[in-house]
Amino acid sequence: TQLLEQSPQFLSIQEGENLTVYCNSSSVFSSLQWYRQEPGEGPVLLVTVVTGGEVKKLKRLTFQFGDARKDSSLHITAAQPGDTGLYLCAGRASGGGADGLTFGKGTHLIIQP
Amino acid sequence: DVKVTQSSRYLVKRTGEKVFLECVQDMDHENMFWYRQDPGLGLRLIYFSYDVKMKEKGDIPEGYSVSREKKERFSLILESASTNQTSMYLCASSPGVFYNSPLHFGNGTRLTVT
């Protein structure tokens, strides 16, 4: 079983601060996805990264896939209260089909006004 | 936009009852999934299906079964509900042709077994 470790588990910061969330594994993934889940809703995809070293930006969110495709990070610049939510990373193993998606346990992020 | 609809947001059942959780998607997706989400444990895959009448066990299938009689509908069945099945249940779908396609989730059913 491939495991994805997310850190930190919980993070509460003030509006305007920057933060980074990490997703690490000892296994290689062919791709990695980041989802955000808000209270009372299902997770929604933010981004998919597939190439080692790839960097993708989504407004104030920057996602990076590690060179060895074993880890990823999510950096938020000037966090806003609307960024509050549960952030989940999910990795797909090489050769894995639709069922080969492993989820991390998530980072609970609270942005205080 | 893809819409995945779960029939109930909240459900309270008694131990030993047979429970049906229903999920419908409107985008003609081949793949459908059932996950449960628990604090500290994250999302765990219960069952998934690649096509009508096909089902595959996920990581924690014990105590559950599924039914997929139509492409758009995927049902999760708790044959005899137990208190350790109290959880948030999430249904998801994805197209079969695209390897890195995202999962589209419903809003979940919070099941309490007393």
Side-chain angles (χ1 to χ4, degrees), chain A residues 9 30-31 33 35 37 40-45 48 50 86 88 92-99 101 103-105, chain B residues 9 31 33 35 37 40-43 45 48 50 59 88 90 94-95 98-108:
Chain A
Q9 191 176 357
S30 63
S31 66
Q33 297 176 337
Y35 292 80
Q37 184 178 18
E41 299 182 8
V44 176
L45 180 76
T48 300
V50 297
L86 175 66
L88 297 160
R92 179 163 279 119
S94 298
D99 58 299
L101 201 61
F103 278 87
K105 294 180 181 177
Chain B
R9 291 298 297 267
N31 306 319
F33 308 83
Y35 288 87
Q37 184 174 29
L41 296 177
L43 271 74
L45 182 63
F48 61 97
Y50 285 126
D59 299 319
M88 170 67 84
L90 290 165
S94 73
F98 302 111
Y99 184 68
N100 287 318
S101 55
L103 297 185
H104 297 268
F105 285 88
N107 284 336

Side-chain angles (χ1 to χ4, degrees), chain B residues 19-32:
Chain B
V19 181
F20 293 85
L21 302 183
E22 306 288 346
C23 175
V24 177
Q25 51 96 1
D26 66 358
M27 280 300 289
D28 203 35
H29 284 172
E30 285 77 13
N31 306 319
M32 296 190 74

Side-chain angles (χ1 to χ4, degrees), chain A residues 16-19 59-62 75-80 83:
Chain A
E17 292 185 25
N18 301 332
L19 66 108
K59 296 183 181 178
R60 292 176 294 99
L61 279 61
T62 301
H75 182 79
I76 301 179
T77 303
Q80 303 293 313
D83 297 326

